[in-house]
Short mmCIF file of all heavy atoms in Angstrom, two decimals:
data_model
loop_
_atom_site.label_atom_id
_atom_site.label_comp_id
_atom_site.label_asym_id
_atom_site.label_seq_id
_atom_site.Cartn_x
_atom_site.Cartn_y
_atom_site.Cartn_z
N THR X 50 175.64 84.87 -68.40
CA THR X 50 175.46 86.25 -68.80
C THR X 50 176.48 87.14 -68.07
O THR X 50 177.51 87.48 -68.60
CB THR X 50 173.95 86.73 -68.53
OG1 THR X 50 173.66 86.51 -67.14
CG2 THR X 50 173.02 86.09 -69.44
N GLU X 51 176.18 87.46 -66.78
CA GLU X 51 177.11 88.42 -66.07
C GLU X 51 178.11 87.70 -65.16
O GLU X 51 179.15 88.27 -64.87
CB GLU X 51 176.25 89.29 -65.19
CG GLU X 51 175.31 90.24 -65.95
CD GLU X 51 174.43 91.08 -65.00
OE1 GLU X 51 174.88 92.15 -64.64
OE2 GLU X 51 173.37 90.61 -64.60
N GLY X 52 177.88 86.49 -64.76
CA GLY X 52 178.76 85.85 -63.79
C GLY X 52 180.19 85.75 -64.20
O GLY X 52 181.06 86.24 -63.48
N ARG X 53 180.47 85.08 -65.28
CA ARG X 53 181.84 84.91 -65.70
C ARG X 53 182.58 86.26 -65.93
O ARG X 53 183.67 86.41 -65.43
CB ARG X 53 181.91 84.09 -67.03
CG ARG X 53 183.30 83.93 -67.60
CD ARG X 53 183.23 83.29 -68.97
NE ARG X 53 182.73 81.92 -68.89
CZ ARG X 53 183.50 80.87 -68.70
NH1 ARG X 53 184.76 81.05 -68.53
NH2 ARG X 53 182.95 79.68 -68.66
N ARG X 54 181.85 87.10 -66.54
CA ARG X 54 182.46 88.42 -66.80
C ARG X 54 182.80 89.24 -65.57
O ARG X 54 183.83 89.90 -65.51
CB ARG X 54 181.46 89.25 -67.68
CG ARG X 54 181.95 90.60 -68.21
CD ARG X 54 181.11 91.10 -69.31
NE ARG X 54 179.73 91.47 -68.83
CZ ARG X 54 178.69 90.78 -69.25
NH1 ARG X 54 178.75 89.74 -70.08
NH2 ARG X 54 177.47 91.09 -68.76
N THR X 55 181.89 89.11 -64.55
CA THR X 55 182.14 89.87 -63.31
C THR X 55 183.43 89.34 -62.57
O THR X 55 184.25 90.15 -62.16
CB THR X 55 180.96 89.71 -62.38
OG1 THR X 55 179.80 90.31 -63.03
CG2 THR X 55 181.18 90.44 -61.10
N TRP X 56 183.57 88.04 -62.42
CA TRP X 56 184.76 87.52 -61.72
C TRP X 56 185.98 87.79 -62.50
O TRP X 56 187.06 88.05 -61.91
CB TRP X 56 184.52 86.03 -61.51
CG TRP X 56 183.52 85.75 -60.41
CD1 TRP X 56 182.17 85.64 -60.58
CD2 TRP X 56 183.71 85.59 -59.02
NE1 TRP X 56 181.51 85.47 -59.42
CE2 TRP X 56 182.49 85.39 -58.37
CE3 TRP X 56 184.91 85.50 -58.25
CZ2 TRP X 56 182.33 85.19 -57.04
CZ3 TRP X 56 184.73 85.28 -56.85
CH2 TRP X 56 183.43 85.15 -56.26
N GLN X 57 185.94 87.70 -63.87
CA GLN X 57 187.11 88.01 -64.68
C GLN X 57 187.49 89.48 -64.52
O GLN X 57 188.68 89.82 -64.50
CB GLN X 57 186.84 87.63 -66.15
CG GLN X 57 186.82 86.12 -66.34
CD GLN X 57 186.44 85.79 -67.80
OE1 GLN X 57 185.79 86.54 -68.50
NE2 GLN X 57 186.90 84.59 -68.25
N ARG X 58 186.47 90.32 -64.46
CA ARG X 58 186.76 91.75 -64.28
C ARG X 58 187.47 92.06 -62.96
O ARG X 58 188.35 92.90 -62.82
CB ARG X 58 185.47 92.55 -64.39
CG ARG X 58 185.60 94.10 -64.33
CD ARG X 58 186.57 94.57 -65.39
NE ARG X 58 186.73 96.01 -65.43
CZ ARG X 58 187.73 96.66 -65.94
NH1 ARG X 58 188.75 95.95 -66.57
NH2 ARG X 58 187.85 97.95 -65.85
N ALA X 59 187.02 91.29 -61.90
CA ALA X 59 187.72 91.50 -60.62
C ALA X 59 189.17 91.15 -60.67
O ALA X 59 190.01 91.83 -60.14
CB ALA X 59 187.06 90.57 -59.57
N GLU X 60 189.50 90.15 -61.50
CA GLU X 60 190.93 89.76 -61.65
C GLU X 60 191.63 90.88 -62.49
O GLU X 60 192.74 91.29 -62.14
CB GLU X 60 191.04 88.44 -62.39
CG GLU X 60 192.44 87.98 -62.57
CD GLU X 60 192.57 86.52 -63.01
OE1 GLU X 60 192.27 86.22 -64.19
OE2 GLU X 60 192.99 85.72 -62.20
N GLU X 61 191.01 91.35 -63.56
CA GLU X 61 191.59 92.37 -64.39
C GLU X 61 191.92 93.65 -63.55
O GLU X 61 192.88 94.36 -63.81
CB GLU X 61 190.65 92.73 -65.52
CG GLU X 61 190.50 91.67 -66.59
CD GLU X 61 189.36 91.90 -67.57
OE1 GLU X 61 188.70 93.00 -67.36
OE2 GLU X 61 189.10 91.08 -68.44
N LEU X 62 191.04 93.94 -62.65
CA LEU X 62 191.21 95.20 -61.83
C LEU X 62 192.29 95.04 -60.83
O LEU X 62 192.72 96.01 -60.25
CB LEU X 62 189.88 95.50 -61.12
CG LEU X 62 188.76 96.09 -62.02
CD1 LEU X 62 187.43 96.18 -61.24
CD2 LEU X 62 189.16 97.44 -62.61
N GLY X 63 192.78 93.82 -60.55
CA GLY X 63 193.92 93.60 -59.69
C GLY X 63 193.58 93.31 -58.24
O GLY X 63 194.44 93.50 -57.39
N PHE X 64 192.33 92.96 -57.91
CA PHE X 64 191.96 92.61 -56.56
C PHE X 64 192.84 91.38 -56.10
O PHE X 64 193.10 90.48 -56.87
CB PHE X 64 190.49 92.16 -56.47
CG PHE X 64 189.58 93.41 -56.43
CD1 PHE X 64 188.76 93.66 -57.47
CD2 PHE X 64 189.49 94.23 -55.30
CE1 PHE X 64 187.90 94.82 -57.43
CE2 PHE X 64 188.65 95.28 -55.22
CZ PHE X 64 187.82 95.61 -56.30
N HIS X 65 193.16 91.45 -54.86
CA HIS X 65 193.92 90.32 -54.24
C HIS X 65 193.04 89.03 -54.18
O HIS X 65 193.41 87.95 -54.60
CB HIS X 65 194.43 90.66 -52.84
CG HIS X 65 195.17 89.54 -52.20
ND1 HIS X 65 194.53 88.71 -51.26
CD2 HIS X 65 196.40 89.03 -52.37
CE1 HIS X 65 195.42 87.79 -50.83
NE2 HIS X 65 196.53 87.99 -51.44
N THR X 66 191.85 89.20 -53.58
CA THR X 66 190.89 88.09 -53.41
C THR X 66 189.52 88.55 -53.77
O THR X 66 189.13 89.70 -53.56
CB THR X 66 190.87 87.56 -51.96
OG1 THR X 66 192.19 87.22 -51.61
CG2 THR X 66 189.98 86.38 -51.79
N ALA X 67 188.77 87.65 -54.38
CA ALA X 67 187.31 87.88 -54.57
C ALA X 67 186.54 86.83 -53.77
O ALA X 67 186.72 85.64 -53.99
CB ALA X 67 186.93 87.82 -56.04
N TYR X 68 185.79 87.27 -52.78
CA TYR X 68 185.04 86.40 -51.93
C TYR X 68 183.59 86.35 -52.39
O TYR X 68 183.13 87.22 -53.23
CB TYR X 68 185.08 86.90 -50.50
CG TYR X 68 186.40 87.01 -49.86
CD1 TYR X 68 187.13 88.23 -49.87
CD2 TYR X 68 187.03 85.95 -49.21
CE1 TYR X 68 188.39 88.32 -49.25
CE2 TYR X 68 188.28 86.07 -48.54
CZ TYR X 68 188.87 87.26 -48.59
OH TYR X 68 190.15 87.33 -47.99
N THR X 69 182.82 85.49 -51.84
CA THR X 69 181.38 85.54 -51.93
C THR X 69 180.72 85.06 -50.66
O THR X 69 181.36 84.40 -49.80
CB THR X 69 180.89 84.60 -53.07
OG1 THR X 69 179.59 85.01 -53.50
CG2 THR X 69 180.90 83.12 -52.78
N TYR X 70 179.50 85.48 -50.45
CA TYR X 70 178.79 85.09 -49.25
C TYR X 70 178.40 83.59 -49.34
O TYR X 70 177.96 83.18 -50.40
CB TYR X 70 177.47 85.89 -49.17
CG TYR X 70 177.54 87.32 -48.62
CD1 TYR X 70 178.76 87.91 -48.44
CD2 TYR X 70 176.41 88.02 -48.37
CE1 TYR X 70 178.87 89.22 -47.97
CE2 TYR X 70 176.50 89.32 -47.87
CZ TYR X 70 177.71 89.92 -47.70
OH TYR X 70 177.79 91.23 -47.22
N ASP X 71 178.51 82.88 -48.28
CA ASP X 71 177.99 81.49 -48.22
C ASP X 71 176.73 81.43 -47.39
O ASP X 71 176.72 81.10 -46.24
CB ASP X 71 179.10 80.58 -47.63
CG ASP X 71 178.82 79.12 -47.71
OD1 ASP X 71 177.88 78.77 -48.48
OD2 ASP X 71 179.48 78.30 -47.04
N HIS X 72 175.66 81.80 -48.09
CA HIS X 72 174.36 81.77 -47.51
C HIS X 72 173.39 80.99 -48.40
O HIS X 72 173.72 80.90 -49.66
CB HIS X 72 173.77 83.16 -47.29
CG HIS X 72 174.47 83.93 -46.17
ND1 HIS X 72 174.32 83.63 -44.81
CD2 HIS X 72 175.30 84.98 -46.24
CE1 HIS X 72 175.01 84.51 -44.16
NE2 HIS X 72 175.61 85.30 -44.95
#
Side-chain angles (χ1 to χ4, degrees):
T50 54
E51 297 176 89
R53 177 188 295 273
R54 186 167 63 248
T55 299
W56 289 84
Q57 289 176 332
R58 184 58 179 157
E60 181 167 74
E61 291 168 359
L62 289 171
F64 281 109
H65 176 261
T66 303
Y68 299 95
T69 198
Y70 283 9
D71 188 14
H72 290 290

